Amino acid sequence: MMVEDLGVEAKEAAVREVAKLLPLPELLQSISSIKADYIARQQANDAQLSTMVAEQVEQAQAGLKSLSLSQKSINHLRENFISIEKLCQECQTLIENHDQIKLLSNARNNLNQTLKDVEGMMSISVEAAGARDSLSDDKEIVNTYERLTALDGKRRFALAAVASHKEELGKLREYFEDIDQTWETFEKTLWGHIANFYKLAKESPQTLVRAIRVVEMQEILDQQLAEEAAEAEGEGAMASIVNPRKTGKKATPASASKNQTQKKLKVQGKGYRDKCYEQIRKTVEGRFNQLLTELVVNDPKGAIEEARMIGEELGDIYDYVAPCFPPRYEIFQLMVNLYTERFIQWLRLLSDRANDLTNIEILKVTGWVVEYQENLIGLGVDETLAQVISESGALDPLMNSYVERMQATMRKWYLNILEADKVQPPKKTEEGKLYTPAAVDLFRILGEQVQTVRDNSTDVMLYRNALAIIQVMIDFQAAERQRLQEPASDIGLEPLCAMINNNLRCYDLALELSNSIIEALPPSYADQVTFEDTCKGFLEVAKEAVHQTVNVIFEDPGVQELLVKLYQKEWCEGQVTEYLVATFGDYFADIKMYIEERSFRRFVEACLEETVVVYVDHLLTQKNYIKEETIERMRLDEEVLMDFFREYISVSKVENRIRLLSDLRELASAESLDTFTLIYTNILEHQPDCPPDIVEKLVSLREGIPRKDAKEVVQECKDIYENSLVGGKPPKTGFVFSRVKCFQSSSKGSLWRKLT
């Protein structure tokens, strides 16, 4: 009935749907298309329905299969429960034998563990042999280390298990000797790789890296073992604190020290990293062996070449070796330190034989030091560290020897130059200036010496060389001064003029040389070198030569003949000063042509000063009374000298020097006490060292001055002089009275005859 109702409802629903589709008669024509569409949809629905039915069938089949398996499992469980119930019923009768069963179970477990341990121990020799065989392959060095480390662990466990049985412990140790031998072979191979680091880094860096990896792995293992030992020690200490009676007997200081030592050795581990450094150090020592034992003694030249080759290896160490090591090893810095230490040792050995080395060999050594330092700086080493060799003092004996030889050679050269100047006439420039090759030759040699050191040596050597050059220049000046001690007439006018020009040229060349040296030196050394005073020394020598040139004129027999007549009859008649300046004129013409203008002006000033000194000296030593004609002639002399000298130097300079002659003339013609004191005070203003004896002498040469008045004048002038002193001495020294011969020949007391 239900099915029929559903069919009726379906028909009604279909009619309603058709009515919706065909509400108008005109639409009946589309029935065919609607029917076709319906048939297509029906086919699609049938296909979908068939697929769903197939899926449902498969799921139903899977469910049935699962139900079948579940049934089997349930049946199996039921059988197991039945078996368990039967076993429980049987065990109820065995409760009385529980202890025996437990012992049997423990024995069985111990037997299994013992068999397992025996099997492991039996395999140790086999594994050790395998590890030993793998040593032949450098690629397996890490695996070999891991095998040996594992074997070590098995050995520690086995030895710990029988630690209480000395007899068995000894037998096991003999059994484990194979492991120790394998370890020895392994470590020999490992340290061989480390020792061969330079070659391996270039040819097989992988092998070196693996060797370093083993060192690192052992360091980690040592750290782990140290931590475990520390923890065990801490637990033991805590146990002794909790239950001190368990310690059995009191420990003695000796046993405590022994235990502590054993623990310390155990904690320290194998120290592979330290051994790695030690192998590197030994390799470096071997690399330097020939240099330090053979070449340094038998072949200095070959030693320098060997040192150069060894030093260049640091570049390869930086490029190839350092990258194979962990950065914290700082292997490049270590190598720099090791190389530098041994190079310093080599230099000290060379320094012990400094006297056997030539200057060229010494320069080659210092030149190598420069190359080595520059190489280090180029590799990134700090400049202060790179200069450790030159600052170590190892080069000092070599530099001392070189400098001493250089100074001796220079001394020999410049003495030969000066000797040649004595016998060879001076040369003339196109302008007629006189010179000798001494200045140019000296500084050419010094310049070459400096350039050689700059090109081939260290800053320290250049500094030492600079000090030596300063001393050479000082000695050269001393040698020139020694020649100037000879009588001016023996030296001759032209050699003296050449000496003046030479020293001016030396001054310029010394400044030029000093500037080049200071620029080449680092500030730390440049601040310690002072050329200024030494350079000025040439100007001082030139000044002394100027004075000797003046002496040539005044030692001229014709001039001497004229000077003897000063303040005598011929002088009063005008036959001295006029002739004297005429002679001066002849000399001045030659000298002006011979020397530089700046020196000529100084010469003229020196000549004028000497003229004033000579005139004053003769005035004070002559014995004739001063008369009016004497005063007049003195005035005329002043005019003649003024007219002559102002042709060569400024009027002010001439007046400043002739002023004393004018003052002495006025003092000699003074008529009253006030005039005497006023004029004497004026003299002290520009000649503070003019003693009152001058007044005493001039007063004694005057006629008509009573003895009492003369004494009063002299006493008043003495008081003025004493009041002008500073600390018992004149404020400064003038150019006249320190050079007046009559003062120099008297030791004390008045120079003049006493008034009568």
Side-chain angles (χ1 to χ4, degrees):
M1 187 68 180
M2 186 180 293
V3 175
E4 293 177 357
D5 292 340
L6 290 173
V8 173
E9 289 179 0
K11 288 179 180 181
E12 291 177 355
V15 171
R16 287 193 295 272
E17 288 295 323
V18 170
K20 290 179 181 179
L21 292 173
L22 303 170
L24 298 175
E26 294 82 2
L27 297 175
L28 292 175
Q29 297 175 359
S30 61
I31 290 176
S32 60
S33 61
I34 293 173
K35 185 177 180 180
D37 182 51
Y38 168 75
I39 292 171
R41 290 184 181 181
Q42 186 179 16
Q43 291 175 350
N45 290 335
D46 290 343
Q48 184 177 3
L49 183 60
S50 298
T51 302
M52 292 176 63
V53 170
E55 291 179 355
Q56 290 295 327
V57 171
E58 290 178 358
Q59 291 178 1
Q61 290 176 348
L64 291 172
K65 187 177 181 180
S66 298
L67 287 173
S68 176
L69 292 173
S70 299
Q71 184 63 40
K72 291 180 180 179
S73 298
I74 291 171
N75 293 335
H76 183 67
L77 287 173
R78 285 175 180 173
E79 292 175 358
N80 288 338
F81 279 122
I82 292 171
S83 177
I84 290 171
E85 288 179 359
K86 290 180 179 180
L87 291 173
C88 288
Q89 290 176 359
E90 293 176 0
C91 288
Q92 288 178 356
T93 61
L94 299 175
I95 294 175
E96 296 178 356
N97 301 317
H98 179 72
D99 292 340
Q100 288 80 0
I101 293 172
K102 184 177 180 181
L103 290 174
L104 180 61
S105 176
N106 289 339
R108 182 176 179 276
N109 292 335
N110 290 337
L111 178 60
N112 289 334
Q113 185 62 40
T114 301
L115 291 173
K116 185 178 179 180
D117 292 343
V118 169
E119 183 180 351
M121 292 175 62
M122 294 298 293
S123 67
I124 286 178
S125 60
V126 177
E127 293 177 5
R132 187 164 53 251
D133 293 340
S134 65
L135 285 174
S136 59
D137 188 355
D138 291 338
K139 296 180 180 179
E140 294 296 322
I141 190 170
V142 176
N143 293 333
T144 303
Y145 169 77
E146 291 175 342
R147 289 181 181 181
L148 290 174
T149 303
L151 288 173
D152 259 354
K154 291 181 179 181
R155 177 171 60 176
R156 284 197 303 272
F157 177 78
L159 293 176
V162 298
S164 60
H165 303 283
K166 294 183 179 179
E167 198 173 314
E168 295 180 6
L169 186 62
K171 292 180 180 179
L172 279 178
R173 283 178 176 166
E174 292 178 3
Y175 181 74
F176 291 136
E177 285 182 357
D178 195 24
I179 298 177
D180 292 332
Q181 293 174 359
T182 306
W183 265 115
E184 290 178 4
T185 305
F186 171 79
E187 290 186 346
K188 184 177 180 181
T189 302
L190 175 66
W191 302 131
H193 290 333
I194 299 296
N196 197 27
F197 66 89
Y198 184 76
K199 184 178 180 181
L200 284 179
K202 299 179 71 175
E203 297 179 0
S204 181
Q206 301 89 343
T207 302
L208 181 58
V209 170
R210 293 188 192 103
I212 299 302
R213 183 182 172 191
V214 169
V215 173
E216 287 288 281
M217 293 170 69
Q218 183 60 44
E219 286 291 301
I220 295 172
L221 181 59
D222 288 346
Q223 182 64 29
Q224 292 174 350
L225 294 176
E227 292 174 357
E228 292 174 3
E231 291 176 2
E233 185 178 353
E235 291 175 0
M238 288 299 297
S240 64
I241 292 173
V242 173
N243 192 359
R245 294 184 180 182
K246 289 185 178 181
T247 56
K249 61 179 180 179
K250 187 175 180 181
T252 63
S255 64
S257 175
K258 183 178 180 181
N259 292 335
Q260 190 67 24
T261 302
Q262 292 175 347
K263 290 177 181 178
K264 187 174 181 182
L265 291 173
K266 194 172 183 180
V267 170
Q268 284 179 344
K270 294 188 176 182
Y272 269 20
R273 186 170 175 179
D274 292 337
K275 291 180 180 178
C276 175
Y277 287 142
E278 181 65 17
Q279 286 297 325
I280 292 173
R281 184 186 64 78
K282 288 181 179 179
T283 301
V284 173
E285 287 180 352
R287 181 69 182 89
F288 277 80
N289 183 60
Q290 184 182 18
L291 177 67
L292 297 178
T293 58
E294 299 177 14
L295 296 178
V296 71
V297 177
N298 303 322
D299 187 5
K301 185 177 180 181
I304 296 171
E305 292 302 319
E306 179 71 6
R308 182 173 287 108
M309 292 174 59
I310 295 176
E312 290 173 352
E313 292 176 1
L314 286 174
D316 291 337
I317 291 173
Y318 183 85
D319 292 333
Y320 299 104
V321 177
C324 294
F325 287 78
R328 64 180 177 278
Y329 277 55
E330 296 182 344
I331 199 67
F332 178 67
Q333 187 59 52
L334 171 66
M335 299 301 293
V336 169
N337 293 341
L338 291 175
Y339 274 51
T340 301
E341 287 173 5
R342 279 143 192 83
F343 279 135
I344 290 175
Q345 183 181 353
W346 168 58
L347 291 175
R348 293 191 189 282
L349 292 174
L350 280 179
S351 295
D352 293 339
R353 304 178 58 250
N355 293 333
D356 299 333
L357 300 178
T358 64
N359 279 359
I360 296 299
E361 290 173 336
I362 292 176
L363 281 181
K364 285 184 177 180
V365 172
T366 56
W368 170 85
V369 172
V370 173
E371 292 178 9
Y372 180 70
Q373 292 178 169
E374 291 176 349
N375 185 31
L376 292 182
I377 294 172
L379 293 173
V381 178
D382 185 78
E383 187 171 349
T384 55
L385 296 177
Q387 294 179 348
V388 168
I389 285 186
S390 57
E391 301 289 348
S392 66
L395 285 171
D396 287 353
L398 291 175
M399 291 190 293
N400 291 340
S401 179
Y402 180 86
V403 169
E404 289 172 2
R405 294 176 192 173
M406 185 272 286
Q407 285 181 310
T409 302
M410 290 293 174
R411 177 177 175 78
K412 182 178 179 181
W413 284 348
Y414 71 66
L415 288 177
N416 290 338
I417 290 172
L418 293 178
E419 287 298 321
D421 286 350
K422 291 182 179 180
V423 298
Q424 296 177 1
K427 299 180 180 181
K428 289 185 179 181
T429 64
E430 295 179 356
E431 295 80 13
K433 308 302 180 186
L434 297 177
Y435 74 95
T436 64
V440 176
D441 287 348
L442 173 66
F443 282 92
R444 176 182 55 78
I445 296 169
L446 293 178
E448 290 174 354
Q449 178 64 32
V450 170
Q451 191 61 45
T452 301
V453 174
R454 288 182 63 177
D455 294 341
N456 300 284
S457 194
T458 63
D459 293 335
V460 178
M461 186 66 159
L462 182 59
Y463 165 70
R464 296 286 301 276
N465 202 62
L467 297 181
I469 285 175
I470 289 175
Q471 189 59 48
V472 167
M473 290 193 289
I474 292 173
D475 293 343
F476 180 76
Q477 294 166 10
E480 288 191 303
R481 286 191 173 95
Q482 185 175 1
R483 188 185 181 193
L484 289 174
Q485 297 301 318
E486 301 175 8
S489 56
D490 292 347
I491 300 174
L493 179 64
E494 292 187 357
L496 284 171
C497 290
M499 187 178 291
I500 295 171
N501 293 333
N502 282 353
N503 279 276
L504 293 180
R505 179 63 174 156
C506 284
Y507 174 74
D508 294 336
L509 293 173
L511 287 179
E512 182 179 341
L513 180 63
S514 66
N515 289 336
S516 66
I517 293 176
I518 295 298
E519 290 175 1
L521 285 172
S524 57
Y525 287 120
D527 294 341
Q528 303 179 49
V529 178
T530 304
F531 279 92
E532 184 177 358
D533 292 341
T534 306
C535 293
K536 288 181 179 179
F538 289 107
L539 297 181
E540 294 298 322
V541 174
K543 184 178 179 180
E544 294 177 21
V546 166
H547 286 292
Q548 278 292 70
T549 306
V550 173
N551 291 338
V552 169
I553 298 176
F554 281 87
E555 290 177 7
D556 184 302
V559 173
Q560 287 288 326
E561 184 179 347
L562 290 173
L563 294 178
V564 170
K565 299 176 181 179
L566 281 173
Y567 302 103
Q568 305 300 322
K569 180 179 179 182
E570 292 87 345
W571 171 75
C572 290
E573 295 174 353
Q575 298 180 12
V576 174
T577 303
E578 285 79 355
Y579 294 162
L580 182 64
V581 297
T583 305
F584 284 173
D586 294 338
Y587 273 107
F588 281 20
D590 292 337
I591 294 172
K592 186 174 184 180
M593 181 178 62
Y594 291 159
I595 64 177
E596 301 290 340
E597 179 64 26
R598 53 180 174 171
S599 299
F600 178 71
R601 288 194 297 270
R602 294 191 185 97
F603 159 75
V604 173
E605 293 173 13
C607 187
L608 175 57
E609 289 179 357
E610 184 65 21
T611 302
V612 172
V613 170
V614 170
Y615 270 65
V616 171
D617 190 52
H618 280 76
L619 173 64
L620 297 177
T621 55
Q622 61 94 22
K623 302 182 181 300
N624 298 323
Y625 283 104
I626 297 175
K627 302 178 181 178
E628 290 185 5
E629 54 268 24
T630 305
I631 299 299
E632 178 62 20
R633 184 64 250 178
M634 292 173 67
R635 185 185 65 78
L636 292 174
D637 281 353
E638 295 167 21
E639 292 180 357
V640 171
L641 294 174
M642 174 67 73
D643 292 340
F644 175 76
F645 281 100
R646 69 181 179 183
E647 295 293 330
Y648 302 98
I649 57 177
S650 64
V651 174
S652 60
K653 290 184 177 181
V654 179
E655 289 177 346
N656 286 336
R657 287 160 176 77
I658 293 182
R659 179 189 305 171
L660 180 62
L661 296 179
S662 300
D663 290 339
L664 292 178
R665 173 172 53 81
E666 292 179 359
L667 191 65
S669 61
E671 297 294 340
S672 64
L673 174 63
D674 292 341
T675 305
F676 273 109
T677 56
L678 178 61
I679 296 172
Y680 183 66
T681 302
N682 290 337
I683 293 175
L684 290 178
E685 289 181 2
H686 55 87
Q687 299 290 334
D689 58 339
C690 177
D693 305 74
I694 302 297
V695 178
E696 184 178 358
K697 172 61 178 177
L698 293 178
V699 169
S700 68
L701 294 177
R702 291 279 303 276
E703 292 181 330
I705 297 180
R707 180 183 179 87
K708 180 180 178 182
D709 293 343
K711 284 187 176 183
E712 185 178 359
V713 168
V714 172
Q715 186 59 47
E716 187 68 22
C717 289
K718 286 183 179 180
D719 294 341
I720 294 173
Y721 178 75
E722 291 176 358
N723 291 333
S724 69
L725 299 179
V726 177
K729 296 181 179 180
K732 63 178 182 178
T733 301
F735 72 91
V736 176
F737 296 102
S738 61
R739 295 159 59 186
V740 171
K741 294 179 180 179
C742 59
F743 285 169
Q744 295 174 356
S745 61
S746 176
S747 59
K748 61 180 180 178
S750 176
L751 301 173
W752 330 113
R753 64 175 182 259
K754 300 297 182 182
L755 294 172
T756 56

